[in-house]
Amino acid sequence: MNWYVVYTKPKWEKKVADKLTQIGIECYCPLITQVKQWSDRKKKVEAPLFNSYVFIQIEDADRNSVFEVAGIVRYLFWLGKPAVVRDEEINVIKNSLKASNIADISVSQIQVGDKIKLETGAFSNQNAIVQEVSKTHYILVLESLGCVLKIKYK
């Protein structure tokens, strides 16, 4: 069975993952722990690693059955077909989330256009191209996962 990516309504990732699990569809919604600050307190919350995305593993013939779940908007497409994510990429995400937090990444003397390999964090062992360097963050392009990563540093 292939892994596909479904696009959800904003802030519905965890609800969609729970409902998919209840109806027997294998799904994965990678979560990271973040500290959110309100005017009166700070709190640790689990937030999705990829906003509005949930990975599902389903037979190709059964792909339309996921639309029974409220909150699913559509499949993510790549080159005119539903995007397929390899098992190795799902395993990289799962294993990386068990490692240290993204905030622990430290990089020095990086320039736009450099090709780097991430050594720690949620995307360890992934190759990236530096797209932007600023005083507060880096923007990296992860071609193998087809996404752009913004890393804030202290």
Side-chain angles (χ1 to χ4, degrees):
M1 288 192 294
N2 290 324
W3 284 95
Y4 296 99
V5 183
V6 291
Y7 186 78
T8 67
K9 291 180 180 179
K11 310 282 188 207
W12 277 60
E13 302 90 346
K14 291 193 269 185
K15 293 178 225 169
V16 165
D18 290 341
K19 291 289 185 183
L20 288 169
T21 303
Q22 287 175 5
I23 64 171
I25 295 176
E26 173 88 22
C27 66
Y28 177 54
C29 180
L31 302 172
I32 56 173
T33 302
Q34 296 177 329
V35 176
K36 297 281 186 175
Q37 183 170 348
W38 287 267
S39 61
D40 60 339
R41 67 189 185 283
K42 288 184 180 180
K43 185 177 180 182
K44 287 185 178 181
V45 296
E46 282 192 330
L49 182 60
F50 303 105
N51 291 331
S52 297
Y53 290 163
V54 175
F55 300 97
I56 61 165
Q57 189 174 34
I58 194 166
E59 292 287 344
D60 193 39
D62 298 330
R63 279 191 307 116
N64 287 335
S65 64
V66 299
F67 293 109
E68 297 172 10
V69 174
I72 293 180
V73 177
R74 62 179 172 81
Y75 278 96
L76 182 69
F77 280 79
W78 178 257
L79 300 175
K81 297 179 183 176
V84 175
V85 180
R86 297 185 311 233
D87 287 333
E88 300 87 46
E89 293 169 332
I90 297 292
N91 290 333
V92 164
I93 295 169
K94 287 180 179 180
N95 292 335
S96 297
L97 288 177
K98 293 177 186 173
S100 63
N101 195 346
I102 290 176
D104 295 333
I105 295 175
S106 63
V107 183
S108 61
Q109 299 178 349
I110 298 291
Q111 297 180 356
V112 173
D114 286 350
K115 292 183 180 181
I116 61 171
K117 185 170 186 174
L118 302 176
E119 297 178 356
T120 62
F123 299 99
S124 63
N125 298 322
Q126 293 293 312
N127 293 318
I129 298 173
V130 179
Q131 186 178 37
E132 180 181 325
V133 178
S134 79
K135 293 180 180 179
T136 59
H137 66 272
Y138 294 102
I139 295 183
L140 308 174
V141 177
L142 301 173
E143 292 177 335
S144 64
L145 296 176
C147 67
V148 176
L149 176 64
K150 181 176 181 179
I151 300 177
K152 294 182 182 180
Y153 55 94
K154 298 176 184 178

